[in-house]
Amino acid sequence: MTAHATRHATQDQATHDHDRTGKTVDTEAESAPPADGERMRRWRMVLGADSAESTGCTLTGQDVAMDGALNALYGGGGGKKPGGRGGGGRSAGLGASAPSVARWLGDIRTYFPSSVVQVMQRDAIDRLGLSALLLEPEMLEAVEADVHLVGTLLSLNKAMPETTKETARAVVRKVVDDLEKRLESRTRATLTGALDRSARISRPRHRDIDWDRTIRANLKNYLTIPGTDGGPDTGTVVPERLIGYGRASQSVKKDVILCIDQSGSMAASVVYASVFGAVLASMRTLDTRLVVFDTAVVDLTDQLDDPVDVLFGTQLGGGTDINRALAYCQSKITRPADTVVVLISDLYEGGIRDEMLKRVAAMKASGVQFVTLLALSDEGAPAYDHEHAAALGALGAPAFACTPDLFPDIMAAAIEKRPLPVPDKETGS
């Protein structure tokens, strides 16, 4: 992640440069090789102040400010921390330096694009112990909001002073609104089509006929018609039974239960799942329930009209008892054949493993469509309990990571009782 920030800051270094943390950076130039002077300037920006003598390059103008912002986060030696402290060791607890940190945040937003700013913010939180400073309103107002920041705010929710909570809610609201704009229309379109197709009728109007299923259902009625004038025989299928798509109605067609692990490692998944939960709850043909759990189980269904309320109803961190959460979800199932249960968890179970697996097997045997997502985020391959994932796969409930863009397709397949479009066939094995 730091590599990306450095690459954008220095505008394409030589291939396989090294950043200040010692990581290899793939920075293949997109244009003709730079002149020697420009090349040295770029190396100086990548390697930091300690390289000034070896590169023979002195920075000027905006390069000095950009280098200072980078050095505050990634530098050592004489570099200043965002809070104004000297370089020595990297220690947490910057105390009352929120104004300095806020100024640093303003600087990086001036010099770097939004995607890089988000990376540097996360690095600052992790490397310099800035979590406590997020409790300051002026700090929150300076931050570039993203899913990871929301996760940090939620983890600090209980310690947050009242004077800061409204500012924090405004930050979370902005991220949630952006996510809803990105995800809602496709989710509605995909699931509405799936719901219509799952409600097939036997006397459809011509435009509503599902010809593929109708032909397959009537293959036994295939007739051979002799050819005329010595021509080849032909055949036809007599459709005694027509199968069609049901028209959308106002009645509830499917029950959906989102069961979300709220342990600290699942922060991004909690954010995305809460947004999706609100979108699903707004669809009249779905009856959506949202349950979060650690060692306790909390039903947040009555807050689904506002995903921000859902998020502030979670408590990131703590242990995990998947078995207890599934027991609660199982108790709420009244129409197994029309129910989809989505477990979002890294499967690090702190409860009774065998009981958890028995519950999943029982739900599937009753007709429930059971989906296990190891993560619901854009963060790449997650850490998860491979043994539990393999056990669920053996039950016919493969566990895999899912991006937000893929989630509507996963839900559509579950609603239609089709094989799930697992992105990586080996993930749950």
Side-chain angles (χ1 to χ4, degrees):
M1 303 297 284
T2 298
H4 292 159
T6 305
R7 181 177 60 188
H8 282 281
T10 56
Q11 299 149 7
D12 296 327
Q13 305 305 317
T15 304
H16 300 306
D17 292 348
H18 289 74
D19 72 359
R20 304 180 187 194
T21 64
K23 297 179 181 178
T24 298
V25 188
D26 184 7
T27 55
E28 184 176 354
E30 297 178 359
S31 57
D36 287 345
E38 175 64 10
R39 185 186 299 276
M40 288 298 101
R41 185 189 74 85
R42 294 185 180 188
W43 272 108
R44 166 62 181 81
M45 292 289 285
V46 169
L47 297 175
D50 292 341
S51 71
E53 183 175 349
S54 61
T55 59
C57 179
T58 300
L59 299 180
T60 59
Q62 183 170 288
D63 285 350
V64 175
M66 293 174 64
D67 185 64
L70 288 169
N71 201 50
L73 181 56
Y74 304 117
K80 291 282 188 177
K81 298 290 190 289
R85 297 193 174 189
R90 289 189 178 96
S91 60
L94 298 180
S97 58
S100 296
V101 176
R103 283 194 296 273
W104 177 79
L105 288 169
D107 288 343
I108 64 174
R109 292 172 70 181
T110 299
Y111 304 133
F112 305 103
S114 177
S115 59
V116 176
V117 169
Q118 293 173 7
V119 170
M120 294 180 72
Q121 286 176 174
R122 293 198 296 273
D123 283 351
I125 291 169
D126 293 339
R127 296 163 64 92
L128 304 179
L130 300 186
S131 295
L133 294 180
L134 292 176
L135 302 181
E136 300 293 334
E138 64 269 27
M139 177 75 165
L140 290 177
E141 291 170 358
V143 166
E144 187 81 18
D146 69 349
V147 170
H148 300 87
L149 176 61
V150 170
T152 301
L153 292 177
L154 296 179
S155 68
L156 296 171
N157 182 28
K158 301 303 179 183
M160 198 176 293
E162 291 298 323
T163 55
T164 305
K165 284 190 175 181
E166 284 307 310
T167 306
R169 286 184 71 90
V171 172
V172 174
R173 173 74 63 190
K174 179 181 183 301
V175 175
V176 167
D177 288 348
D178 289 345
L179 288 178
E180 281 192 303
K181 290 176 184 176
R182 167 188 160 190
L183 302 172
E184 183 174 16
S185 60
R186 182 169 179 273
T187 301
R188 283 182 170 276
T190 301
L191 296 192
T192 298
L195 287 163
D196 287 350
R197 288 189 295 273
S198 69
R200 291 182 171 84
I201 56 177
S202 59
R203 298 182 65 184
R205 289 175 291 184
H206 185 271
R207 64 180 178 178
D208 294 331
I209 295 174
D210 183 340
W211 287 108
D212 182 60
R213 288 178 176 265
T214 295
I215 291 171
R216 280 188 284 157
N218 290 278
L219 285 176
K220 62 182 179 180
N221 302 321
Y222 183 85
L223 296 179
T224 300
I225 302 174
T228 59
D229 298 328
D233 294 346
T234 58
T236 187
V237 173
V238 179
E240 293 182 352
R241 183 167 67 93
L242 297 177
I243 300 174
Y245 304 121
R247 283 292 170 183
S249 69
Q250 299 304 311
S251 62
V252 174
K253 294 176 181 174
K254 294 289 181 179
D255 298 335
V256 175
I257 302 177
L258 300 179
C259 186
I260 308 168
D261 183 344
Q262 62 175 352
S263 57
S265 60
M266 301 296 293
S269 297
V270 170
V271 176
Y272 280 114
S274 298
V275 172
F276 275 118
V279 173
L280 299 180
S282 69
M283 299 178 65
R284 298 180 184 179
T285 49
L286 292 176
D287 185 4
T288 303
R289 182 177 296 274
L290 189 143
V291 177
V292 298
F293 68 93
D294 42 35
T295 53
V297 180
V298 180
D299 193 326
L300 297 177
T301 303
D302 60 351
Q303 299 179 38
L304 272 175
D305 59 332
D306 187 345
V308 175
D309 287 341
V310 171
L311 288 170
F312 276 94
T314 64
Q315 184 173 344
L316 291 175
T320 307
D321 193 338
I322 303 173
N323 178 56
R324 175 178 290 187
L326 291 181
Y328 177 82
C329 295
Q330 192 175 24
S331 72
K332 299 299 179 181
I333 296 173
T334 58
R335 303 188 305 150
D338 293 313
T339 299
V340 178
V341 174
V342 182
L343 172 64
I344 304 173
S345 172
D346 55 18
L347 301 180
Y348 288 110
E349 171 66 319
I352 306 173
R353 173 186 184 275
D354 291 343
E355 288 297 318
M356 175 190 76
L357 296 175
K358 286 179 181 178
R359 290 191 190 282
V360 175
M363 282 189 271
K364 285 186 63 63
S366 69
V368 171
Q369 295 297 108
F370 194 91
V371 179
T372 307
L373 301 182
L374 301 170
L376 178 56
S377 72
D378 289 310
E379 296 182 331
Y384 64 95
D385 189 305
H386 291 255
E387 183 179 350
H388 288 164
L392 287 171
L395 295 175
F400 55 95
C402 173
T403 64
D405 289 335
L406 181 62
F407 185 76
D409 296 325
I410 297 292
M411 290 301 299
I415 286 171
E416 295 183 72
K417 300 184 178 182
R418 294 186 281 106
L420 300 179
V422 179
D424 181 353
K425 295 296 184 182
E426 297 181 3
T427 299
S429 61

